[in-house]
Amino acid sequence: MIRIDIVSDAICPWCYIGKRRLERALAAEAPGQIVVGWRPFQLNPDMPPEGMDRKAYLRRKFGSETGGPGYKNVLAAGLEEGIPFDFAAMRRTPNTIAAHRLIRRAEAEGRQDATVEALFQAYFTRGADIGDRATLADIAASVGSDREAVVAYLAGDEGEADVRAEDQFARRVGIQGVPCFVVERKYAISGAQPPEAFAEVFAQIRTEAATNA
């Protein structure tokens, strides 16, 4: 079995695109041969807890309320992967600590990938404020989690220290942007690479395993 840890942020459009490309790579693999986990990274670690107005954020980060020319590349790549990005629907850019805590909690329930997908869909196709706890509870409930239990969890600080520690660890080992796919804690695939990039690494790992058997 091959393990992939995806270092990602819930507000990273390339992470959503990278997820789709990885899924295409996994579709070519036998079921059960690869296990995926999601790990936290904050694109905006200095974001206020309440988030901020989307246009103000874009002006501060990109110098343009439209996100600059890079967003055209995101939209085009999204269409190729069947993702209907709707940046116009976004009103706020959230702090993602609570979203990362939700993703961490979902792992214990076996709903981590579904939760990440639901977060991406909510934020990128409906403009939902995924820094809002009630919104996060609704998202969790949509993939089968107990909404009231999620509300209680998010009201406290359980998991926050772990999320922050993992974020800092990712930076210490040299991860400066996401997505970053860490395969078997040995190979790193940076960015939203095509399925062939994953297949090449999978083949390398299996060759090494056969050689060392």
Side-chain angles (χ1 to χ4, degrees), residues 1-2 26 29-35 206:
M1 183 176 292
I2 295 173
L26 297 182
E29 299 289 325
Q33 294 302 302
I34 298 174
V35 61
R206 287 167 177 144

Side-chain angles (χ1 to χ4, degrees), residues 18-196:
K19 182 176 188 292
R20 284 289 181 271
R21 292 175 177 173
L22 172 62
E23 287 168 349
R24 287 202 280 134
L26 297 182
E29 299 289 325
Q33 294 302 302
I34 298 174
V35 61
V36 174
W38 293 83
R39 299 291 169 248
F41 188 94
Q42 279 195 290
L43 287 174
N44 305 300
D46 61 344
M47 179 65 67
E50 70 276 11
M52 64 186 300
D53 175 79
R54 176 74 177 172
K55 290 183 178 179
Y57 167 77
L58 293 175
R59 286 195 301 269
R60 186 181 75 170
K61 189 157 188 171
F62 301 106
S64 166
E65 291 185 359
T66 63
Y71 268 31
K72 292 182 179 179
N73 296 331
V74 170
L75 288 168
L79 287 176
E80 290 178 358
E81 301 301 333
I83 302 171
F85 285 109
D86 188 354
F87 294 113
M90 299 176 184
R91 295 292 178 263
R92 297 191 66 75
T93 297
N95 180 301
T96 55
I97 284 291
H100 284 305
R101 290 177 58 216
L102 183 67
I103 293 168
R104 185 178 182 83
R105 181 186 186 278
E107 184 174 23
E109 294 185 343
R111 296 188 174 97
Q112 193 177 45
D113 195 76
T115 298
V116 171
E117 178 68 27
L119 285 164
F120 280 151
Q121 286 186 10
Y123 184 63
F124 288 116
T125 71
R126 302 195 300 276
D129 181 0
I130 59 170
D132 177 73
R133 292 177 180 177
T135 298
L136 290 174
D138 289 341
I139 289 170
S142 75
V143 299
S145 294
D146 183 285
R147 190 183 189 283
E148 294 308 311
V150 171
V151 168
Y153 170 80
L154 293 175
D157 61 3
E158 181 182 347
E160 181 173 339
D162 295 319
V163 165
R164 293 188 185 278
E166 285 198 56
D167 180 294
Q168 289 302 311
F169 176 76
R171 297 175 197 277
R172 286 199 303 272
V173 300
I175 296 175
Q176 299 179 342
V178 289
C180 183
F181 302 82
V182 182
V183 187
E184 287 291 288
R185 298 186 178 181
K186 182 176 182 181
Y187 297 97
I189 301 173
S190 297
Q193 299 297 325
E196 293 78 14

